[in-house]
Amino acid sequence: MAWTRYVAIGDSFTEGIGDTHPDGTPRGWADRAAELLAERAPGFGYANLAIRGRLLDQIVDDQLPAALALEPDLMSISGGGNDLLRPGVTVEALAARMEEAVAKARSTGADVVLFTGVDPADSAVIRRTRSRVMAFNGHLREIAARHGAYVVDQWSMDILRDWRMWGEDRLHMSPAGHRRVALAMLEALKVPDVEDWREPRLRPLPELSRSAQLLRDLRWARGHLVPWIGRRLRGRSSGDTVTAKRPALEPFAR
């Protein structure tokens, strides 16, 4: 299948936070995947409507209609991660909204790619959501099966539990992490002749002493966790003043 009209919707994961182009704008796995798809399809167009901090309702209500208006033949839909960090949200409600989005996209004939959440077992804070992420992942797989969508199973990608795949904030992937997700997406789509996301293999990181780990965690909390909590308490989002980086379907250019 040679797709020629790819549209990505979602939050900071899809916007590409943690990975940048030389000009400082977000790159990320979606841009990386689009670049590789463009090499295989003359006239390939790509749009990315994702905005950091968005909740799933905002993605479905605001980004999905705009995406469908672009008449894509391939869509990636990712969301729910920000919701799962909030205690009042139910997994079942999230799943219902995601299924609504997938059904609408598939009804147009577009192929759809979904992404399970990464296993947060090694994160001191986010691991508390592990059971909810696992439950939501189960719903995502069932939704994909019912509607004929593709799934990138990040939960089973053990390499994503290596901290070298993540940025300093521990919430957004590093360029290396985004690269591997892009390749995993193309593998899920069965695109031939692409690199293996499992390579290169990484040697285990040296173990830190307890005091070194504590110092590292304190620096992270002061630099990233406290500001994040502050935004939550003020009802603010990191994406409040951000607009979509590629709102129109355009040829992909490096």
Side-chain angles (χ1 to χ4, degrees), residues 62-210:
D62 302 332
Q63 295 179 24
L64 180 64
L68 295 180
L70 297 174
E71 301 182 344
D73 54 18
L74 176 64
M75 281 189 62
S76 59
I77 306 174
S78 179
N82 291 319
D83 301 79
L84 290 171
L85 294 173
R86 290 163 167 77
V89 175
T90 67
V91 171
E92 291 73 19
L94 283 182
R97 289 247 67 188
M98 181 62 80
E99 182 151 23
E100 176 188 341
V102 173
K104 286 182 179 179
R106 291 290 291 136
S107 71
T108 70
D111 283 314
V112 173
V113 184
L114 302 178
F115 298 78
T116 69
V118 176
D119 186 351
D122 300 319
S123 173
V125 176
I126 301 178
R127 69 184 177 200
R128 298 179 182 181
T129 69
R130 190 171 190 262
S131 61
R132 301 175 78 199
V133 173
M134 190 183 301
F136 188 47
N137 287 348
H139 284 289
L140 290 174
R141 296 185 186 101
E142 292 173 359
I143 291 167
R146 283 195 290 270
H147 297 279
Y150 298 89
V151 177
V152 178
D153 189 1
Q154 296 186 104
W155 184 273
S156 67
M157 294 172 67
D158 289 344
I159 189 65
L160 297 182
R161 293 181 62 177
D162 188 302
W163 284 116
R164 285 167 287 192
M165 298 298 104
W166 296 86
E168 290 184 0
D169 65 3
R170 306 185 188 180
L171 291 173
H172 300 104
M173 290 183 181
S174 66
H178 279 285
R179 169 188 168 273
R180 291 180 189 262
V181 171
L183 295 175
M185 171 179 162
L186 297 186
E187 179 181 275
L189 290 172
K190 297 180 173 57
V191 176
D193 303 319
V194 296
E195 295 178 73
D196 187 342
W197 60 263
R198 301 161 189 83
E199 300 295 338
R201 306 286 177 170
L202 300 177
R203 293 182 178 181
L205 288 166
E207 289 190 21
L208 295 176
S209 67
R210 186 173 181 179

Side-chain angles (χ1 to χ4, degrees), residues 20-27:
T20 59
H21 289 287
D23 64 0
T25 58
R27 186 185 186 189

Side-chain angles (χ1 to χ4, degrees), residues 22-73:
D23 64 0
T25 58
R27 186 185 186 189
W29 63 265
D31 283 20
R32 291 172 179 268
E35 180 178 344
L36 295 171
L37 289 171
E39 294 173 355
R40 293 162 171 76
F44 181 85
Y46 165 55
N48 189 321
L49 310 183
I51 296 177
R52 68 197 74 173
R54 292 300 190 255
L55 302 174
L56 186 56
D57 279 344
Q58 294 170 311
I59 295 169
V60 176
D61 292 339
D62 302 332
Q63 295 179 24
L64 180 64
L68 295 180
L70 297 174
E71 301 182 344
D73 54 18

